[in-house]
């Protein structure tokens, strides 16, 4: 298979054991074979024989090259919007209060059930294109606004189908346990039974890569979450959890006990939760968009996460209620300004650690043998990606070895 050389660039490999911050390689080079990186390093060290084998060459014009960005937590498929609820909240009505009055997630469920697959597909594709324009090459998409078999199926099928006509890799997560649908009002255990019936069917249809739940006083209890995770385990599916977003319910410890790929939000995470996550190797997915949009004041415990050595990812949480956001670059900035991540932690959070949060070992860093998903940026230094607000210095995205 023919080889392609990319040169005249600075690499930010994001390799975990790199000697330089960001894994920086000045005057670097990449050799791509098909959809895979064959060689990564300083141009001066590229073996002459390998260089001679390269049948095509790209001059990157001095660009910075990072791995393709990974948005590891989104709810991209839904209908309608929640601008009216936004107005209500600005007048002082709380997010939980709106949910208890039958608004919030339930209102998006009504709109999503009423929408056709084609309608859902076209609104999700619009949001996806925003993400892609900023160098996203892998996106996770959750269900959770259908809350009934046919509608959860419709949303997961839409999620899968987005990868057929967009150059992006999609991971689909079943979030049937997101909220209680109206027909099960007051019967959350009965709805959970229904979720447990949906899961094996959707899994058998090839629609589920992971299982998620919203463990919270306005959603599902730790005991109910545990029942779901037992079912996921029986099917060999990895789990993740919306945990400790509005209160500390011990969801992180519970999820860690099931070897969760990630626990997400975590504003109310305890020391025990952080320690359990570290032991299990669960990634902390930080969602500054939701923190900002809900005007939260309780910060995720960054020092605790660092102290226990929990890997941190950063994501948009793109959804209509708490984070109507389709800019992962903006999240890089907000992770730094709001959560005090370093720009290097933030960039690792949308590359290496985001891949880990999805259980993907073949991407997230620039290294031989991994996918040739990478982005050329018109910046001198990777900190500039987190520094700017509303800028998009993207030059070009390469997905599976091909210019996108
Ligand atoms: O990640 N926390 C639960 N789920 C979403 C919000 C869903 C909604 O309000 O529509 C989140 O914040
Ligand atoms: Fe979410």
């Amino acid at each position: 298979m023919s080889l392609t050389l990319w040169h005249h660039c600075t690499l930010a490999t994001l390799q975990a054991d790199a000697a330089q911050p960001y894994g920086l390689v000045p005057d670097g080079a990449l050799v791509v074979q098909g959809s895979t990186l064959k060689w990564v390093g300083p141009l001066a060290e590229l073996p002459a024989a390998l260089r001679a084998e390269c049948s095509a060459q790209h001059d990157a014009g001095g660009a910075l090259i990072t791995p393709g960005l990974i948005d590891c937590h989104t709810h991209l498929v839904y209908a309608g919007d929640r601008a009216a609820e936004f107005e209500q909240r600005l007048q002082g009505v709380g997010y939980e209060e709106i949910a208890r009055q039958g608004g919030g997630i339930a209102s998006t469920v009504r709109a999503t059930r009423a929408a056709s697959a084609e309608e859902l597909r076209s609104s999700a594709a619009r949001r996806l294109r925003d993400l892609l324009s900023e160098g996203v090459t892998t996106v996770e998409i959750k269900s959770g606004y259908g809350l009934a078999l046919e509608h959860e199926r419709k949303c997961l099928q839409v999620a899968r189908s987005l990868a057929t006509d967009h150059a992006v890799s999609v991971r689909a997560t079943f979030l049937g346990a997101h909220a209680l649908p109206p027909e099960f009002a007051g019967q959350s255990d009965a709805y959970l039974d229904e979720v447990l019936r949906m899961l094996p069917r959707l899994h058998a249809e090839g629609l589920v890569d992971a299982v998620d739940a919203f463990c919270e006083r306005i959603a599902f209890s730790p005991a109910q979450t545990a029942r779901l995770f037992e079912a996921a385990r029986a099917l060999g599916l990895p789990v993740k959890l919306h945990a400790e977003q509005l209160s500390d319910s011990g969801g992180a410890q519970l999820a860690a006990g099931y070897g969760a790929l990630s626990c997400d939000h975590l504003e109310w995470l305890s020391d025990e939760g952080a320690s359990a996550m570290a032991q299990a190797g669960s990634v902390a997915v930080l969602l500054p968009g939701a923190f900002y949009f809900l005007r939260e004041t309780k910060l995720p415990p960054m020092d605790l996460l660092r102290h226990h050595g929990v890997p941190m990812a950063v994501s948009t949480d793109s959804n209509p209620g708490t984070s109507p956001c389709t800019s992962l670059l903006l999240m890089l900035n907000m992770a730094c300004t709001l959560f005090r991540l370093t720009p290097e932690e933030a960039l690792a959070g949308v590359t290496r650690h985001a891949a880990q949060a999805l259980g993907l070992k073949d991407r997230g860093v620039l290294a031989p043998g991994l996918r040739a998903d990478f982005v050329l940026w018109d910046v001198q230094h990777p900190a500039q990606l987190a520094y700017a607000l509303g800028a998009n210095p993207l030059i070009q995205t390469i997905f599976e070895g091909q210019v996108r």
Side-chain angles (χ1 to χ4, degrees), residues 261-282:
L261 290 174
S262 71
C263 298
D264 304 36
H265 288 286
L266 300 174
E267 278 80 351
W268 293 81
L269 180 69
S270 66
D271 188 47
E272 298 73 33
S275 150
M277 285 176 67
Q279 272 168 35
S282 305

Side-chain angles (χ1 to χ4, degrees), residues 150-400:
E150 63 169 307
H151 297 293
E152 287 289 292
R153 178 189 283 129
K154 175 176 70 176
C155 293
L156 290 167
Q157 284 173 340
V158 167
R160 280 268 189 262
S161 79
L162 289 168
T164 61
D165 57 358
H166 295 84
V168 67
S169 171
V170 170
R171 303 298 286 174
T173 299
F174 174 59
L175 178 57
H178 192 197
L180 207 53
E183 62 276 18
F184 281 92
Q187 308 171 65
S188 62
D189 283 323
Y191 177 62
L192 202 84
D193 291 341
E194 181 56 24
V195 170
L196 297 185
R197 281 190 286 272
M198 289 182 222
L199 174 59
R201 295 185 61 172
L202 296 170
H203 175 54
E205 293 168 28
L207 293 171
V208 182
D209 299 317
V211 175
D212 193 352
F214 187 18
C215 184
E216 190 57 67
R217 53 195 176 203
I218 53 167
F220 297 92
S221 69
Q224 291 169 329
T225 304
R227 284 183 64 209
L228 175 67
F229 284 0
E230 287 293 336
R233 177 182 274 171
L235 294 170
L237 282 168
V239 300
K240 29 207 319 110
L241 190 64
H242 282 72
E244 340 299 20
Q245 179 183 12
L246 308 170
S247 62
D248 178 13
S249 61
Q253 293 94 301
L254 173 83
Y258 286 87
L261 290 174
S262 71
C263 298
D264 304 36
H265 288 286
L266 300 174
E267 278 80 351
W268 293 81
L269 180 69
S270 66
D271 188 47
E272 298 73 33
S275 150
M277 285 176 67
Q279 272 168 35
S282 305
V283 176
V285 178
L286 304 173
L287 304 167
F291 174 90
Y292 163 81
F293 197 69
L294 292 180
R295 304 175 73 221
E296 298 286 358
T297 49
K298 183 144 173 72
L299 288 162
M302 308 306 310
D303 290 342
L304 212 53
L305 293 169
R306 290 191 186 105
H307 170 75
H308 287 287
V310 179
M312 296 181 285
V314 173
S315 170
T316 60
D317 194 14
S318 185
N319 79 73
T322 66
S323 189
C325 168
T326 50
S327 171
L328 194 54
L329 288 179
L330 180 60
M331 296 303 99
L332 278 185
N333 176 274
M334 285 171 50
C336 298
T337 51
L338 297 175
F339 293 171
R340 291 285 180 253
L341 263 69
T342 66
E344 186 180 5
E345 285 173 329
L347 190 58
V350 296
T351 53
R352 184 173 79 245
H353 291 153
Q356 194 180 337
L358 297 177
L360 300 171
K361 295 186 172 35
D362 61 351
R363 66 195 80 182
V365 299
L366 299 175
L370 301 199
R371 289 168 63 98
D373 293 347
F374 53 91
V375 186
L376 276 61
W377 305 98
D378 184 13
V379 298
Q380 304 296 311
H381 189 275
Q384 287 170 269
L385 297 175
Y387 154 80
L389 281 167
N392 184 0
L394 181 133
I395 300 169
Q396 211 166 39
T397 303
I398 286 64
F399 177 75
E400 293 182 334

